[in-house]
C-alpha cells in the first residue's frame, strides 16, 4: 500500500492550531490565536488574545469604545504575547510563530516578535 499524498503541510497544520486556539478567546469582537514552533516542528507555545492568567473574564470590560479604562485595551494580552508567556520553558530564539491575524505594530515593533527573511521569528 502507498502512503497518501493529500495530507496538509506543516505550515497548514500549525496555522490550523493557531486558528483553533483563537476559538478560546472570550473577546466578543476579535479572536486571535498563535502557535510557536521550534526548528524540529514541535509546538512549544500556544496562546490567544485574552486577559492575563489570574484575571477573571467576568470582572473586566470587553468594550472597544469609550473611556480607555472602560475598554478591553488596557487589560487584554495579545495572542503572540500569551503564546510566549505560555511556552514550555525553553529559549524561543529561532522559533516560528503562526498567528491568525498579522501581528500588530505593538507586537512587532517592540521586538516581541520580528520578521526575518520572510519567516516570523522570535
Amino acid at each position: 500500500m502507498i502512503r497518501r499524498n493529500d495530507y496538509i503541510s506543516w505550515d497548514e497544520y500549525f496555522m490550523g492550531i493557531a486558528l483553533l486556539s483563537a476559538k478560546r478567546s472570550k473577546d466578543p469582537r476579535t479572536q486571535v490565536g498563535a502557535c510557536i514552533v521550534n526548528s524540529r516542528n514541535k509546538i512549544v507555545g500556544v496562546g490567544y488574545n485574552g486577559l492575563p492568567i489570574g484575571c477573571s473574564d467576568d470582572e473586566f470590560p470587553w468594550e472597544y469604545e469609550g473611556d480607555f479604562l472602560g475598554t478591553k485595551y488596557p487589560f487584554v494580552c495579545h495572542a503572540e504575547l500569551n503564546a510566549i508567556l505560555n511556552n514550555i520553558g525553553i529559549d524561543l530564539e529561532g522559533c516560528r510563530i503562526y498567528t491568525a491575524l498579522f501581528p500588530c505594530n505593538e507586537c512587532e515593533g517592540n521586538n516581541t516578535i520580528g520578521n526575518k527573511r520572510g519567516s516570523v521569528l522570535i
Side-chain angles (χ1 to χ4, degrees):
M1 182 177 274
I2 301 173
R3 73 177 174 102
R4 59 184 273 257
N5 293 318
D6 60 344
Y7 55 88
I8 62 175
S9 69
W10 284 115
D11 287 334
E12 291 168 320
Y13 176 71
F14 298 130
M15 185 55 74
I17 299 291
L19 292 168
L20 184 62
S21 297
K23 294 180 181 293
R24 288 282 311 145
S25 175
K26 313 305 183 299
D27 191 325
R29 185 174 171 115
T30 308
Q31 298 81 45
V32 183
C35 178
I36 302 174
V37 181
N38 69 14
S39 61
R40 296 176 52 209
N41 288 328
K42 303 296 181 199
I43 296 172
V44 296
V46 177
Y48 53 88
N49 62 313
L51 296 173
I53 293 173
C55 296
S56 170
D57 295 326
D58 297 322
E59 295 178 19
F60 287 86
W62 289 104
E63 300 298 322
Y64 61 92
E65 292 181 327
D67 178 54
F68 183 68
L69 290 178
T71 68
K72 64 182 183 175
Y73 298 110
F75 307 108
V76 171
C77 291
H78 291 188
E80 300 92 333
L81 179 58
N82 269 327
I84 291 168
L85 295 173
N86 292 332
N87 88 73
I88 62 171
I90 65 165
D91 182 4
L92 298 177
E93 186 173 341
C95 290
R96 304 182 311 274
I97 188 166
Y98 295 79
T99 59
L101 288 178
F102 193 81
C104 71
N105 289 337
E106 182 181 330
C107 288
E108 199 165 18
N110 70 8
N111 290 326
T112 300
I113 60 173
N115 195 347
K116 183 177 179 181
R117 283 182 251 147
S119 297
V120 179
L121 302 175
I122 296 177

